Amino acid sequence: MPAYEICYLDCDGSLTYKFAATCDDHNRAKVLAHAMKLPSAKRLEVWQGEALIYARPSDSHPMREQMLRRS
């Protein structure tokens, strides 16, 4: 089963929490990401390794791109 990293960001784009999960496929990882989302999280991202699989909302920059810009 593939491993995923699910990340949640606040309104400033800062990482608030993340966790790793093993899911059967991308769709199940997306469902899990939404199910575990707290109301305070403004953005969620699902990663498989270095590949961004899913993000909501989809109109802002992914967390890892923001981290690269800061360094």
Side-chain angles (χ1 to χ4, degrees):
M1 274 195 246
Y4 297 89
E5 185 174 83
I6 299 173
C7 303
Y8 299 93
L9 294 84
D10 64 15
C11 58
D12 295 328
S14 299
L15 180 66
T16 56
Y17 60 102
K18 68 178 178 176
F19 65 94
T22 303
C23 300
D24 290 334
D25 56 34
H26 294 347
N27 287 333
R28 290 183 188 225
K30 293 175 194 178
V31 169
L32 178 62
H34 280 283
M36 299 297 292
K37 182 184 170 290
L38 294 176
S40 60
K42 301 302 178 198
R43 178 177 171 79
L44 67 86
E45 298 176 353
V46 178
W47 293 84
Q48 185 179 31
E50 295 297 317
L52 178 62
I53 303 302
Y54 180 76
R56 285 296 176 262
S58 59
D59 60 343
S60 57
H61 297 287
M63 176 195 67
R64 291 187 186 180
E65 286 181 18
Q66 291 180 11
M67 289 173 57
L68 290 173
R69 288 184 188 147
R70 292 178 186 158
S71 52

